[in-house]
């Protein structure tokens, strides 16, 4: 009997188009009828000031519905465009008149999203582009976004109002010619945009209008991104203190700037702006990268191994058949790749997690357990201490012929897996079937830019999650620069790194990727504290190398 014979899948009839929408009885894709029935139009959407996480729910929904998206690619994070359908047409606004492009598409019945940075109605293109669409008779909607005027000071830890200051005035200085006499009231908070190249003129104008030169002022560049930088000063010194800051930048003037010492939360994260190399595949690194982002880091995922099917798939096919027919008492998963390999075989045979009914399942660690839970399987055994094959072996129960009807254990693993677990289970009376579920081979070298950054000190830290990641990364990309912080998941990985001439700065207190990220964050916090105590700016490790760019 084939494994497929054990499955019971219910087939559902395909959706068909409503009467008149398509040829009777012809299946159509979910959502296609709705899109076909919608009239064309334009939605002007604000993306926020820079952080893709500030995109609103309504904006994300409109991107998912769009047939065409018009955007300045140079100013749009790729995470925002990831909300688009795969078949949506992405047009760069630099390639032509965005209004004419949008109008033509809308009149042809297409749903167009015009993306604008920040909030469309504030220092943005709503007036010009919305007015042109109205004149052309094209229906449009507006989805407001988080404006830089409020978002950037919020990320800088500067509230625009407090109990003593209730008035906020926004000034667009990009065209010059501002009458600063109108903004001399010291009780009003000023938010000045478009003044990156005229900071000295702005400060002189305000002082000449009557604002004391001791008035607190702050300038924030690249706000809400991990490149954000804020300089706190006064009107007298801001121009010199903020020299060399990158655009876009925003100036806040007023006593509310004094709150920053207490409320700065973004730039004070332990790994703020650190570029961290994660030598794992995107699937493996997902939770680790999310954790690093929470600490303020910028994770860069570089696979060091490639996972491929076994050369002889018949062994896995027999194992899955035995799993279904009750050959095993236990199934042990020692990696997320093993879970993925078994799951893919199940899909091939039309099986699902119900085939594990009556089986006991063990997982080597938290990540493997999470992959199993996503599959619909909750492991019966996990190591309580060290998350490794050795840790699992220490907690494995001995075989008891009175309690265990079967003494076989299935281990679907990599072709280069070690035998420590098998040896221990055999000692305990279990019969192990070690099956090659996948092969691991060295990945192709990363892009030249990544290789240069690794060797040239462009990364602030590298996380090594196994000895093989040390060997493979050096093999495909070269040895990390001496200024780069090296973090190892455990003593063996640290030993391998040392053998390759690397100085290990961080070792996790337990062998899990979560503990490794936490240990690096603690190191980053100590790094920041020691520099602050020495009266030095909180420069990143990559900025310590010779020739690193410094803000003047």
């Amino acid at each position: 009997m084939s494994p497929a014979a054990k499955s019971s899948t219910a087939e559902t009839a395909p959706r068909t188009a409503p009467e008149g929408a398509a040829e009777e009885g012809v299946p159509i894709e979910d959502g296609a009828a709705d899109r076909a029935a919608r009239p064309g139009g334009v939605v002007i959407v604000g993306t926020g000031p820079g952080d893709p996480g500030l995109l609103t729910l309504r904006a994300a929904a409109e991107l998912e519905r769009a047939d065409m998206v018009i955007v300045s690619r140079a100013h749009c994070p790729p995470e925002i465009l990831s909300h688009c359908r795969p078949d949506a047409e992405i047009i760069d606004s630099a390639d032509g008149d965005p209004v004419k492009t949008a109008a033509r598409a809308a009149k042809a019945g297409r749903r167009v999203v015009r993306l604008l940075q920040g909030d469309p109605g504030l220092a943005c293109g709503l007036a010009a582009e919305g007015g042109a669409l109205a004149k052309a008779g094209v229906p449009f909607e507006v989805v407001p976004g988080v404006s830089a005027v409020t978002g950037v000071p919020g990320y800088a830890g500067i509230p625009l109002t407090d109990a003593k200051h209730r008035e906020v005035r926004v000034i667009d200085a990009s065209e010059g010619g501002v009458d600063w006499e109108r903004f001399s009231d010291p009780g009003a908070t000023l938010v000045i945009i478009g003044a990156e190249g005229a900071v000295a003129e702005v400060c002189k104008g305000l002082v000449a209008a009557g604002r004391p030169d001791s008035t607190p002022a702050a300038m924030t560049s690249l706000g809400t991104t991990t490149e954000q930088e804020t300089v706190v000063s006064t009107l007298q010194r801001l121009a010199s203190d903020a020299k060399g800051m990158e655009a876009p930048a925003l100036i806040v003037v007023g006593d509310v700037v004094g709150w920053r010492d207490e409320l700065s939360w973004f730039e004070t994260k332990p790994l703020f702006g650190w570029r961290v190399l994660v030598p794992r595949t995107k699937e493996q690194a997902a939770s680790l990268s999310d954790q690093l982002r929470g600490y303020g880091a910028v994770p860069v995922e570089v696979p060091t191994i490639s996972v491929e099917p076994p050369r002889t798939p018949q062994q896995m096919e027999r194992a899955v058949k035995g799993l279904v027919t009750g050959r095993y008492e236990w199934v042990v998963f020692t990696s997320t790749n093993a879970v993925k390999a078994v799951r893919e075989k199940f899909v091939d045979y039309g099986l699902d997690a119900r085939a594990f009914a009556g089986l006991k399942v063990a997982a080597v660690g938290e990540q493997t357990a999470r992959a199993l839970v996503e599959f619909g399987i909750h492991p019966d055994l996990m190591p309580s201490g060290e998350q490794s094959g050795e840790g699992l072996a220490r907690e494995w129960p001995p075989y008891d012929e009175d309690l265990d009807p079967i003494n076989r254990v299935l281990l679907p693993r990599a072709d280069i897996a070690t035998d420590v677990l098998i040896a221990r289970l055999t000692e305990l009376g279990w019969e192990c079937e070690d099956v090659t579920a996948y092969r691991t081979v060295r990945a192709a070298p990363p892009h030249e830019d990544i290789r240069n950054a690794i060797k040239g000190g462009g990364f602030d830290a590298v996380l090594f999650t196994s000895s093989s990641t040390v060997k493979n990364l050096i093999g495909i990309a070269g040895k990390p620069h001496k200024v780069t912080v090296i973090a190892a998941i455990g003593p063996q990985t640290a030993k391998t790194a040392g053998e390759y001439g690397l100085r290990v700065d961080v070792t996790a207190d337990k062998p899990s990727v979560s503990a490794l990220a936490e240990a690096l964050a603690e190191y980053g916090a100590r790094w920041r504290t020691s520099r602050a105590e020495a009266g030095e700016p909180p420069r990143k490790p990559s900025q310590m190398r010779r020739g690193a760019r410094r803000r003047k």
Side-chain angles (χ1 to χ4, degrees), residues 523-535:
Y523 179 92
R526 292 194 300 271
W527 171 281
R528 293 180 62 90
T529 300
S530 64
R531 294 191 63 81
E533 290 174 348

Side-chain angles (χ1 to χ4, degrees), residues 63-77:
L63 285 171
E64 291 169 3
R65 298 174 63 196
D67 302 308
M68 175 187 286
V69 176
I70 303 173
V71 60
S72 172
R73 280 190 175 272
H75 299 99
C76 183

Side-chain angles (χ1 to χ4, degrees), residues 98-146:
V99 174
K100 290 181 179 178
T101 303
R104 281 195 300 268
K107 288 179 178 178
R110 304 183 76 186
R111 183 79 170 182
V112 181
V113 166
R114 172 65 170 119
L115 290 179
L116 295 173
Q117 194 172 20
D119 179 77
L122 189 55
C124 214
L126 176 59
E129 297 195 19
L133 290 170
K135 186 176 180 180
V138 177
F140 67 90
E141 301 174 29
V142 177
V143 178
V146 175

Side-chain angles (χ1 to χ4, degrees), residues 154-379:
Y155 270 54
I158 300 174
L160 298 182
T161 62
D162 59 17
K164 296 180 180 179
H165 307 88
R166 310 300 299 168
E167 182 181 0
V168 179
R169 306 190 71 178
V170 180
I171 306 162
D172 184 352
S174 58
E175 300 297 325
V178 178
D179 181 5
W180 295 110
E181 295 286 344
R182 297 170 53 198
F183 307 105
S184 60
D185 180 4
T189 299
L190 304 183
V191 181
I192 305 166
I193 57 179
E196 296 93 337
V199 180
E201 291 82 349
V202 167
C203 294
K204 288 177 183 177
L206 287 171
V207 171
R211 289 250 182 173
D213 60 9
S214 59
T215 301
M219 187 167 178
T220 301
S221 71
L222 304 174
T224 78
T225 74
T226 50
E227 298 298 317
Q228 176 176 305
E229 181 181 13
T230 301
V231 168
V232 174
S233 185
T234 63
L235 287 179
Q236 183 182 27
R237 296 190 51 81
L238 183 63
S240 58
D241 289 347
K243 186 178 180 181
M245 292 184 74
E246 296 184 48
L250 173 150
I251 299 172
V252 178
V253 178
D255 291 341
V256 293
V257 171
W259 283 101
R260 176 172 160 83
D261 287 343
E262 294 180 51
L263 302 182
S264 179
W265 62 274
F266 186 51
E267 293 170 60
T268 54
K269 288 188 174 187
L271 298 177
F272 180 76
W274 283 37
R275 200 168 176 227
V276 179
L277 180 68
V278 182
R280 315 189 88 197
T281 64
K282 189 172 290 293
E283 294 80 9
Q284 290 177 313
S287 61
L288 176 57
S289 293
D290 286 344
Q291 186 176 357
L292 290 169
R293 289 188 191 96
Y295 296 132
V298 183
V300 179
E301 295 149 359
V302 176
T304 60
I305 62 168
S306 176
V307 177
E308 298 183 0
R311 289 191 175 91
T312 54
Q314 294 82 3
Q315 192 181 30
M316 264 291 284
E317 291 168 1
R318 288 195 297 270
V320 171
K321 182 178 179 179
L323 188 152
V324 172
T325 56
R327 178 175 173 80
Y328 306 106
E329 177 77 4
W330 281 91
V331 181
V332 182
F333 290 96
T334 57
S335 70
T336 56
N337 285 326
V339 177
K340 182 181 179 182
V342 171
R343 191 170 183 174
E344 287 174 350
K345 278 295 179 186
F346 270 42
V347 171
D348 291 343
Y349 293 138
L351 299 170
D352 58 28
R354 288 174 292 183
F356 279 84
L359 280 164
K360 296 174 185 175
V361 178
V364 76
E366 296 169 0
Q367 279 200 308
T368 303
R370 279 195 292 269
L372 283 168
V373 170
E374 290 173 4
F375 189 11
I377 302 164
H378 290 266

Side-chain angles (χ1 to χ4, degrees), residues 408-440:
R408 290 190 194 89
V409 179
L410 173 63
L411 288 93
R413 304 193 299 165
D415 56 332
I416 57 172
T418 59
D419 296 327
V420 175
L421 181 59
I422 293 176
R424 175 58 178 158
L425 267 57
T426 302
E427 290 176 4
L428 293 171
W430 295 94
E431 179 185 333
C432 298
E433 290 193 8
D434 187 14
V435 174
T436 298
Y438 60 95
R439 292 185 300 123
T440 56

Side-chain angles (χ1 to χ4, degrees), residues 361-403:
V361 178
V364 76
E366 296 169 0
Q367 279 200 308
T368 303
R370 279 195 292 269
L372 283 168
V373 170
E374 290 173 4
F375 189 11
I377 302 164
H378 290 266
D380 301 281
L381 181 65
M382 281 179 57
S384 57
E386 178 184 344
Q387 297 189 2
S388 64
E390 292 88 339
L392 185 60
R394 283 194 287 270
E395 302 193 22
W396 197 274
Y399 171 68
D400 188 328
E401 60 182 12
D402 294 326
L403 298 177

